[in-house]
Amino acid sequence: MSIEFFKAFRTVFAKEIVDALRDRRTLLRLLIPSVLMGPLMLVLMSSLAASLQDRAEQREVLVAGIGHAPTLRNYIERQTYTLKEAPADYEALLRSGKLTDPVLVVPADFETLLAGGMPAPLEIVSDSANQRAEAGMGALNRLVQGFGNERATMLLAMRGLNPQQLRPLDVQERDLASVQARATRLTQMLPMFIMMAVLYGALTAALDSTAGERERGSLEPLLVNPAPHAAIVVGKWAAVLMAGLLVAVLSNLSFLPGQLLMRSDALAAMFQFGWGEALRFLLLQIPLGMGLSAVLMALAIRTKTFKEAQASTTLVITAVALTPMVAIVNPGGEASWHLWVPGLGQNLLMMQVLKGEALTWVKVLPTVISGVALTVAGLAFVSRSMRAAVAR
């Protein structure tokens, strides 16, 4: 590349940066949310984890008809649970979401059937659309099963039988997930929000440097200069990329102080996000920022007004927002081709970082190649469109 190219590139790049810094209102709209992203998201997630933890520590059971089952009451209270009478309209309250615990329903003939050696029915009522109530189903089921096991053991012992004969298997569970991997059940949305921050950081700069300048009438005078069109395009693209990466840096770093505000001690112990994780997140976002900056400029260069350019980029915003959903709705179903999809590949790799897993070049390289390819294609289109505009 010639010295003329670098001079033109430097001039255009500096011009775009100065123009961006002059628009302080827009700059603040981008920077303030990126700084607040980490603290706000971690506070919200830790509040959810803390509320679930508080519910588990309360050890309360809502029961309807517990007066019919003194033996069941005795067992539950021995497990250090507190029994509470369920409201009469518990079904309506569960459907509306106002009741956040499942209800154990005991029939009137419970003790009679139990004493007669017949299966005594118990009903656990919940609403699968009520997520908080559904979360308590597992603990209540285990509690009821524990009562049944204790009852069966006592009956066998009274008849002189060894209860272990009914348990030929000793099943033990072993969780292979690391502490950080277990935390991702709550933090799996973080990569998507960070990618959206990069997108919106580059979006305003990309639209302003193309459609915005055309609307203000400053694009055509710039193009008639003797500077190479490629240098003008690359200079504008570098400034757009700089805006996106600035938001990326602030978003990543915001999670470091944000951890100090976490309300859940359990989540704080599992969520390990330090300088190393922030740096890897940023490096993974560079190829995506490169490609998105070029694509946004390519979409905006063909429009005549800023508002028209905003409408044309809706598809890109939707695509970036939806691609991570592939991994969220299909956990464990990752395929090798996912790494080649911009956005989806970065989401998968950032999830590996959150889980504490090592990144390999075999996985990182596809995201780099797809980002570079998207960048070259987008900038080529922008350069061709600018030459066509000058020819007209």
Side-chain angles (χ1 to χ4, degrees), residues 38-58:
L40 287 176
M41 290 197 65
L42 292 181
V43 166
L44 290 174
M45 288 186 295
S46 62
S47 298
L48 174 61
S51 66
L52 296 176
Q53 189 176 347
D54 291 342
R55 284 182 57 198
E57 291 174 354
Q58 288 175 358

Side-chain angles (χ1 to χ4, degrees), residues 56-212:
E57 291 174 354
Q58 288 175 358
R59 298 179 71 82
E60 295 178 348
V61 178
L62 289 180
V63 188
I66 191 62
H68 307 312
T71 54
L72 179 60
R73 173 192 285 274
N74 177 268
Y75 173 80
I76 293 176
E77 290 177 344
R78 281 190 286 113
Q79 308 307 309
T80 69
Y81 279 86
T82 301
L83 289 166
K84 283 192 171 183
E85 187 66 28
D89 57 343
Y90 62 85
E91 290 189 7
L93 292 175
L94 281 169
R95 288 195 187 97
S96 64
K98 295 179 180 178
L99 191 62
T100 58
D101 292 291
V103 177
L104 180 64
V105 181
V106 183
D109 57 348
F110 180 83
E111 289 292 343
T112 304
L113 294 172
L114 207 61
M118 300 293 290
L122 284 173
E123 186 180 27
I124 299 177
V125 181
S126 182
D127 189 327
S128 58
N130 185 339
Q131 295 184 2
R132 290 184 176 270
E134 193 70 9
M137 288 287 289
L140 188 52
N141 263 308
R142 288 190 294 271
L143 189 63
V144 172
Q145 291 297 327
F147 171 75
N149 292 336
E150 181 182 84
R151 184 75 182 181
T153 299
M154 291 174 56
L155 292 175
L156 291 173
M158 290 172 59
R159 289 168 172 77
L161 299 175
N162 183 4
Q164 296 299 325
Q165 293 178 355
L166 296 180
R167 298 193 185 99
L169 299 178
D170 182 16
V171 180
Q172 298 180 357
E173 296 182 358
R174 184 159 58 100
D175 191 354
L176 297 177
S178 65
V179 174
Q180 287 178 262
R182 289 196 292 272
T184 57
R185 288 179 295 183
L186 285 176
T187 59
Q188 61 181 340
M189 297 295 289
L190 292 188
M192 184 182 72
F193 280 99
I194 291 178
M195 288 189 297
M196 292 302 295
V198 176
L199 171 62
Y200 281 111
L203 178 63
T204 302
L207 301 188
D208 187 69
S209 64
T210 51

Side-chain angles (χ1 to χ4, degrees), residues 2 46 83 123 146 191 205 244 246 256 261 289 334 351 355-356 392:
S2 64
S46 62
L83 289 166
E123 186 180 27
L246 175 60
L256 300 178
L261 303 176
E334 295 85 0
M351 286 298 298
K355 293 177 182 178
R392 289 197 298 268

Side-chain angles (χ1 to χ4, degrees), residues 67-389:
H68 307 312
T71 54
L72 179 60
R73 173 192 285 274
N74 177 268
Y75 173 80
I76 293 176
E77 290 177 344
R78 281 190 286 113
Q79 308 307 309
T80 69
Y81 279 86
T82 301
L83 289 166
K84 283 192 171 183
E85 187 66 28
D89 57 343
Y90 62 85
E91 290 189 7
L93 292 175
L94 281 169
R95 288 195 187 97
S96 64
K98 295 179 180 178
L99 191 62
T100 58
D101 292 291
V103 177
L104 180 64
V105 181
V106 183
D109 57 348
F110 180 83
E111 289 292 343
T112 304
L113 294 172
L114 207 61
M118 300 293 290
L122 284 173
E123 186 180 27
I124 299 177
V125 181
S126 182
D127 189 327
S128 58
N130 185 339
Q131 295 184 2
R132 290 184 176 270
E134 193 70 9
M137 288 287 289
L140 188 52
N141 263 308
R142 288 190 294 271
L143 189 63
V144 172
Q145 291 297 327
F147 171 75
N149 292 336
E150 181 182 84
R151 184 75 182 181
T153 299
M154 291 174 56
L155 292 175
L156 291 173
M158 290 172 59
R159 289 168 172 77
L161 299 175
N162 183 4
Q164 296 299 325
Q165 293 178 355
L166 296 180
R167 298 193 185 99
L169 299 178
D170 182 16
V171 180
Q172 298 180 357
E173 296 182 358
R174 184 159 58 100
D175 191 354
L176 297 177
S178 65
V179 174
Q180 287 178 262
R182 289 196 292 272
T184 57
R185 288 179 295 183
L186 285 176
T187 59
Q188 61 181 340
M189 297 295 289
L190 292 188
M192 184 182 72
F193 280 99
I194 291 178
M195 288 189 297
M196 292 302 295
V198 176
L199 171 62
Y200 281 111
L203 178 63
T204 302
L207 301 188
D208 187 69
S209 64
T210 51
E213 285 208 21
R214 173 168 285 173
E215 190 173 26
R216 293 191 297 268
S218 59
L219 181 61
E220 283 73 12
L222 177 64
L223 296 179
V224 298
N225 284 325
H229 285 161
I232 296 175
V233 171
V234 175
K236 286 179 171 291
W237 168 79
V240 173
L241 177 60
M242 184 72 70
L245 292 184
L246 175 60
V247 174
V249 170
L250 294 176
S251 299
N252 291 335
L253 295 182
S254 69
F255 287 99
L256 300 178
Q259 295 174 75
L260 302 175
L261 303 176
M262 296 176 73
R263 293 181 53 195
S264 170
D265 294 336
L267 183 59
M270 290 188 293
F271 183 70
Q272 302 296 323
F273 193 91
W275 289 98
E277 286 77 15
L279 178 59
R280 277 176 281 176
F281 263 42
L282 177 60
L283 293 176
L284 289 172
Q285 291 159 41
I286 290 176
L288 180 64
M290 292 168 52
L292 288 178
S293 300
V295 169
L296 291 172
M297 289 178 63
L299 290 173
I301 195 64
R302 303 294 292 180
T303 59
K304 296 181 179 180
T305 63
F306 193 89
K307 185 176 292 187
E308 185 183 350
Q310 284 180 315
S312 67
T313 57
T314 304
L315 182 60
V316 177
I317 298 172
T318 304
V320 174
L322 291 181
T323 46
M325 298 302 294
V326 175
I328 294 175
V329 301
N330 186 28
E334 295 85 0
S336 57
W337 63 268
H338 288 176
L339 296 171
W340 294 90
V341 180
L344 181 56
Q346 278 78 11
N347 180 80
L348 295 177
L349 294 179
M350 284 191 281
M351 286 298 298
Q352 287 191 8
V353 173
L354 289 177
K355 293 177 182 178
E357 300 175 4
L359 298 178
T360 62
W361 275 110
V362 176
K363 292 185 176 180
V364 174
L365 200 56
T367 62
V368 175
I369 294 174
S370 60
V372 171
L374 210 58
T375 302
V376 172
L379 294 184
F381 182 84
V382 174
S383 182
R384 187 168 61 249
S385 300
M386 284 186 174
R387 285 197 297 270

